[in-house]
Each structure stands twice: as C-alpha cells, then as structure tokens.
Amino acid sequence: MRAMILAAGRGERMRPLTDTLPKPLLRAGGKPLIVWHIERLAASGFTDIVINHAHLGEQIEAALGDGSRFGLNIRYSPEPPGALETAGGIAKALPLLGRQPFLVVNGDVWCDWDFSRAHRRTPLLTGNRAHLVLVDNPPQHTGGDFCLDGETVRYASEATGPTLTYAGTGIFSPDFFASVPAGTVLKMRPLLDAGIARGLVTGERHTGRWFDVGTPERLAELDRDLKSELNPAP
C-alpha cells in the first residue's frame, strides 16, 4: 500500500512564516511537520510515499531527498504555481500511486491516528470508495463537516448525533478520482459529496490527538505540547 502526503498548499494563514519556507517544513517538537508523518508511516509498514508540492517545492525535495534515510522511497508530484487543490493534486499523482487503494494525509496536520489501520481497511475498499478519519470538532470549526451513521458518512446537516470534522486523513480507491482529468484544479468536496450521496464513503471517529496547524498560534501551541512531552519537567 502506498501513501500520499499533500504538501502543495501555499499556507496563506501562516504568513510570513511561509513566505520563505513551505508549510510542511515548519517545525514543531524539533522536527518538520512532514517528517512526523514520514517517520510514522515508515514505522507503520509503508515503503513508498508520494509527495505533491508547488510553493517552494524544491525545498521539500532538498530536505527529504529520496527517502532512504527514513527507510522508504519518496517520489514527488510537482504542480504548477497555485497548485491543483486536493482532488486535482491526487488525480495528477495517480500514475505514481498504483492501482490499489492508498492512504492520503494532509501535510499540515499533526495526528496520532495509527497509520497501520490503513492496511487493515484496504481490502474493504473495492470500487469507487473512500474511507475518512473524522475527529471531534475543534474550536475553529465547531459546526463540523460530516456525521457517522454506523460507518457510513453523512452530511453534518443530517446529524442526529455529534457532527465531526474531517481529519485530513483518508483511504481512497484510485477509481474515486477517475473522473478528474490530470491537470484539473479541483477541491475534494465535490467528489466527497458525490460519493456520500451514493453511499460510497465510510468513516471512523478518531478520539486521539489531532491538530490542524493552520495558524502561527496553533503551530506554537503544538510545538509547546510536543516539547513538553519530549522534555517533561522534573
């Protein structure tokens, strides 16, 4: 099973930090955000990773190389200035991701969801299907995105229980993106809406830790938390 880390975003809300450094290379707990993902993917049995990039992408390639120092193989999917949005970026990278379901992780989140769970979920993902990791709504997104009916993902507007937020981590069949021509600029939501309407999107609730590192303040908060764990007070 292969994994893709989404790293093409401009990181507008993180400026001026992202004026000279791509957002996935911002550091928290002593290492770049994207390295947390890579190390955890390697520890979970992944050997092949695809990373897309646009803004200052050459810095990402220079920092990570071919992945050999992490014990895996990294390939890159460069995008034009402005990037292709999430679905467009994944569609462009499909030739690198193979014909089996693959894991997708946003490069600007930090989460302790167990990536090895993706290996167990993959055999269930036949056809044009997707499986999303959902978390409790953070303070900056109290309305949520979706809800769960068993394992079936529904719209937040249909919720009879708690609404949840997409964690930026999911497992996707390549067929989920088959309708997107390579090079198209397309967000993920239209594909998710179509899949949810057909009952093709499942999900699970992650109750562990999750940070959407969307602002300098949240980056600083994550940095403090991770450093306090690595260097607990006596």
Side-chain angles (χ1 to χ4, degrees):
M1 184 182 190
R2 296 176 184 176
M4 180 174 184
I5 301 177
L6 302 175
R10 173 64 177 82
E12 289 289 348
R13 292 178 298 166
M14 297 295 289
R15 298 182 70 179
L17 299 178
T18 52
D19 286 342
T20 57
L21 192 70
K23 188 175 180 181
L25 292 185
L26 295 176
R27 300 176 74 87
K31 68 182 74 171
L33 293 171
I34 199 168
V35 171
W36 286 98
H37 287 327
I38 292 171
E39 291 179 346
R40 293 184 59 243
L41 286 167
S44 298
F46 287 85
T47 57
D48 291 280
I49 294 177
V50 175
I51 299 173
N52 69 338
H53 62 69
H55 174 63
L56 302 176
E58 68 282 355
Q59 292 190 33
I60 295 176
E61 293 199 27
L64 305 177
D66 63 3
S68 57
R69 68 185 175 94
F70 302 103
L72 42 72
N73 176 56
I74 296 177
R75 290 187 288 179
Y76 297 94
S77 180
E79 297 179 16
L84 300 175
E85 296 288 359
T86 301
I90 295 171
K92 181 181 184 296
L94 286 178
L96 302 177
L97 290 166
R99 303 180 64 180
Q100 300 300 316
F102 49 84
L103 175 67
V104 173
V105 184
N106 282 5
D108 58 357
V109 301
W110 189 98
C111 185
D112 61 3
W113 186 73
D114 182 2
F115 288 143
S116 67
R117 291 179 61 83
H119 298 293
R120 300 191 289 275
R121 171 60 57 171
T122 298
L124 305 177
L125 238 65
T126 58
N128 184 18
R129 293 184 176 273
H131 182 80
L132 308 182
V133 178
L134 307 175
V135 294
D136 293 343
N137 300 327
Q140 68 270 17
H141 190 57
T142 56
D145 301 308
F146 307 110
C147 63
L148 286 173
D149 179 5
E151 281 201 341
T152 301
V153 173
R154 307 290 188 195
Y155 301 102
S157 59
E158 302 174 19
T160 56
T163 61
L164 300 167
T165 292
Y166 177 45
T169 298
I171 308 161
F172 298 90
S173 165
D175 290 342
F176 198 76
F177 303 92
S179 64
V180 184
T184 300
V185 178
L186 184 67
K187 295 179 181 292
M188 181 68 86
R189 189 61 190 249
L191 295 186
L192 289 177
D193 286 347
I196 289 170
R198 298 174 59 195
L200 298 175
V201 181
T202 57
E204 63 182 84
R205 182 179 186 177
H206 174 59
T207 58
R209 298 173 65 200
W210 176 80
F211 283 83
D212 172 13
V213 191
T215 65
E217 293 75 19
R218 295 207 291 271
L219 177 67
E221 179 186 357
L222 175 62
D223 183 54
R224 288 193 299 270
D225 286 357
L226 293 175
K227 285 180 176 177
S228 67
E229 292 179 8
L230 295 170
N231 301 289

